[in-house]
Each structure stands twice: as structure tokens, then as C-alpha cells.
Amino acid sequence: MAFVNEISPEEREGLSNLYSKISSERSRRILHVNSEVRKSLRDFFIGEGFYELSPVILGPVTDPLNHPVSDASINYYGHKYGLTQSMIFHKQIALLSYEKLFIFSPNVRLEPLDRQATGRHLAEFSQLDVEVRDFSKDDAISLAERMYCFVIEQVRKSCAEDLEFFGRALSVPHIPFRRYDYSLAKERYGEEFEASLSENHKDPFFIENVALLDREFYDREMEERPGILSDMDMVYPEGFGEALSGGEREYQLERIIDRIKKKGQTFEQFKYYLEVARMGLPRSAGFGIGIERLVRYVLGLRNIEDATLFPKVIGKFSL
Ligand code: ASP
Ligand code: MG
């Protein structure tokens, strides 16, 4: 068959490795845990009175992110639409409809090649996005803590054999989790504070109040600490690194415009979002947590590629 020759040796080897991987007991167990993690998350949020929103896969505006990624846009009937990098703007706008929302959202982020070695980046991943009207940062942290403990409790019950197979013992941490102030942590532990704190913890913790220019424009600046945002990351222990990011959001047009300027970004890129902000955005807070990272942590997997059946590995052939 002539077309078979069009596959390069690397691609054929990639497919063959994938074939063996998908057929293995190890993969089946990871898939089970992935499925149970999703189920427990959904159960948690439905139990808390949230509605589930359908994901948006492409649109004329998406999360600019705080680091450079390659362009992932398509020609949408003559207009440039981007693949979703996160649903931050859509979830803010969706709160006009209902006050508590979650979405299992496929995100595409064409990360730089050097991120392949981190073990926790994929070019496509699933983000559970959560947003609540009139929430504060503290409300969002408390929700994330309860969510995390619920998932660990559920998975310990429903995936006991899988955890044993991977030699993983998980405990449910005490609430509240430890919190570190971003600027103080940086001062005390240096530029790599997140990684070193992650190495030295046994339970997840938060880093809060990120410096304005170290984050996207949409997290809300504190009135009482100008230049500091009312936001946070949750970080896994044992060196697994960032779990989730979130915070309170800017919702007033003038403040959004000021923040876009401070980041040196163009208004053109956000014109549709700005137009909606002119009509009025709800005040809110929320967060986004990566599902593959959560599965990776739950099972103690070295590489995030193993947390899903069809990983889009940065820079590599993927099915
Ligand atoms: N926008 C964040 C991210 O995708 C998540 C959030 O703030 O809700 O990293
Ligand atoms: Mg983040």
C-alpha cells in the first residue's frame, strides 16, 4: 500500500509505542483514575449547586496567557479565530446567565519546546474551569480546598486497587491549606520559590497575591495593595508543581483597559471582550485546574504524557 510509505520512521515508531501503551494494564488503570477524577469533580460541583457549561473550542478572543505560545488560529469564514487557550473570558461572560459555573474545557497552548522537559506541560490539555459571581479570592481558595479533599477521598475509595498498583498512598490534607504571600516567598526562597516549596511540602499549599506584571491582566488588583493582585496558585507537594491558578477578576471597563495598557498588550486583540465589558461584566472569582496534572499527581506519574491516552506532546508527533 503506497500511502503507508508516507509515514516517517519516527511517526511509525511513535504509533507503535502508542499502540502498546494503550493496550497495557497500566494505561487502563490510569484511564480509570482519570475517569474517576472527572466523575468526582463533576459530583462535587453539581452537589454545590453549580451548572456545567459546554466548552468553547474556538473564538475571536481567548486567554493571552502570561508566557509566549505559538499562534493556534484558524480561518473561520474569513475571520481569524483562535483555539481556546483558556475559557477565562467566556466563563466571566457566562455568569450573566447563572451564578456558579464549571466547564471541562479542552485548552490548546502551543508551548515553547523547552517546556517539554518539565513533565507537566502538554500542547493540549483539559482544564476544569470554575467561576462564581460575587466570590472573593478567599471564597475561591476555600472552594478549591474542599474540591481537592473531596476528590482525594473519592479516588481513595473508587481507585484503591489502582493506587496500590502504582504504589501511591494519598492522604486527605487538613483545611485550611498553608498559604504563602507571593512577594515574601520570592524574597525568602528566590526566583524558583514555587519549585523549591513544592519539593519541601507533603500537602498542597497556596501562593497568593501575585505581583501585577507577573500575571495576566484579568486578575483583580487589590485596592489596599496597589501593584498586587487578589489571586493565587495552588501547588502540589513532592515537586509536582502548579495545580491551579485563579483569583478575583477585573470586571470594570476602565480598570481592564488600564491593565491591558500596563501589560503592553493591544486593545485590538480583546475588542469583543472589551465591548462586552462596556455592557457590564459580573463581579467574580474562580480558578482553572488541569485534569492531567491532577491525575499525574494522584498516581505520582513522572511524566504528564502518561496521564491521558492521546497526549499532545510538545514538539513531537502525537495522534
Ligand atoms: N486563566 C487561568 C489559566 O488558564 C485560570 C483561571 O484564572 O481561572 O491558567
Ligand atoms: Mg497558571
Side-chain angles (χ1 to χ4, degrees):
M1 290 182 292
F3 68 88
V4 169
N5 294 330
E6 288 161 23
I7 295 179
S8 71
E10 293 76 21
E11 289 166 344
R12 186 170 295 120
E13 194 192 330
L15 280 174
S16 160
N17 290 342
L18 185 66
Y19 193 93
S20 317
K21 181 184 118 171
I22 294 178
S23 315
S24 68
E25 177 184 359
R26 185 170 185 273
S27 261
R28 200 252 309 144
R29 288 189 181 277
I30 297 172
L31 179 60
H32 180 232
V33 172
N34 192 316
S35 172
E36 289 295 324
V37 162
R38 285 168 177 268
K39 178 182 184 303
S40 57
L41 287 166
R42 181 173 275 119
D43 287 349
F44 174 79
F45 284 104
I46 297 290
E48 294 262 336
F50 281 66
Y51 286 179
E52 180 171 0
L53 193 70
S54 298
V56 170
I57 310 287
L58 71 156
V61 61
T62 190
D63 193 330
L65 307 177
N66 200 43
H67 63 281
V69 289
S70 299
D71 180 53
S73 54
I74 65 155
N75 182 341
Y76 182 80
Y77 306 102
H79 298 274
K80 189 178 160 179
Y81 275 25
L83 294 175
T84 293
Q85 297 186 153
S86 100
M87 272 182 60
I88 180 68
F89 303 132
H90 291 86
K91 67 180 178 176
Q92 269 187 291
I93 296 167
L95 288 179
L96 292 164
S97 174
Y98 184 67
E99 66 203 33
K100 297 158 104 177
L101 296 171
F102 72 98
I103 318 114
F104 286 99
S105 169
N107 287 188
V108 173
R109 300 182 181 179
L110 300 180
E111 302 281 357
L113 288 175
D114 60 6
R115 291 214 161 186
Q116 201 200 300
T118 64
R120 58 189 171 87
H121 288 90
L122 291 171
E124 178 192 66
F125 68 98
S126 311
Q127 172 146 245
L128 171 67
D129 249 316
V130 178
E131 200 70 15
V132 185
R133 223 192 281 162
D134 295 321
F135 244 32
S136 67
K137 175 193 67 175
D138 287 344
D139 293 332
I141 286 181
S142 155
L143 183 70
E145 287 170 339
R146 286 184 290 112
M147 171 197 78
Y148 176 82
C149 292
F150 183 86
V151 170
I152 299 299
E153 254 171 50
Q154 295 303 308
V155 167
R156 274 175 50 155
K157 280 187 237 157
S158 62
C159 302
E161 280 183 23
D162 304 310
L163 291 171
E164 201 181 316
F165 181 88
F166 284 90
R168 189 77 169 144
L170 286 175
S171 55
V172 180
H174 292 292
I175 289 175
F177 298 0
R178 182 138 183 207
R179 294 195 199 182
Y180 293 88
D181 183 83
Y182 181 87
S183 312
L184 294 180
K186 203 170 183 170
E187 216 176 278
R188 180 139 184 219
Y189 305 102
E191 282 297 322
E192 299 300 316
F193 63 97
E194 186 179 297
S196 67
L197 285 171
S198 175
E199 289 289 347
N200 293 316
H201 272 258
K202 291 263 169 291
D203 287 316
F205 59 92
F206 287 95
I207 294 172
E208 59 181 351
N209 314 331
V210 178
L212 187 144
L213 289 178
D214 292 350
R215 199 73 150 197
E216 295 88 343
F217 72 80
Y218 50 74
D219 282 355
R220 188 166 173 85
E221 185 176 10
M222 287 183 194
E223 319 244 318
E224 64 281 15
R225 282 177 77 185
I228 303 293
L229 307 177
S230 211
D231 64 0
M232 76 287 183
D233 273 4
M234 189 177 95
V235 182
Y236 293 122
E238 303 168 53
F240 283 93
E242 183 188 326
L244 66 77
S245 299
E248 289 172 27
R249 318 300 183 183
E250 295 293 359
Y251 58 96
Q252 291 149 308
L253 182 65
E254 293 315 314
R255 290 178 63 112
I256 295 172
I257 285 176
D258 173 58
R259 294 289 303 284
I260 293 176
K261 274 194 208 148
K262 283 188 176 139
K263 289 293 278 185
Q265 283 161 333
T266 65
F267 297 131
E268 172 64 23
Q269 200 185 339
F270 304 109
K271 63 184 178 189
Y272 302 109
Y273 174 65
L274 290 170
E275 187 58 28
V276 179
R278 197 184 311 280
M279 299 172 196
L281 281 173
R283 183 183 186 129
S284 70
F287 57 79
I289 177 166
I291 301 297
E292 293 82 2
R293 286 185 180 181
L294 177 52
V295 171
R296 175 183 177 235
Y297 171 71
V298 162
L299 288 176
L301 304 174
R302 202 177 59 79
N303 203 319
I304 195 157
E305 288 172 33
D306 289 341
T308 183
L309 281 190
F310 298 105
K312 293 291 174 298
V313 182
I314 294 166
K316 276 207 204 157
F317 169 77
S318 307
L319 194 62

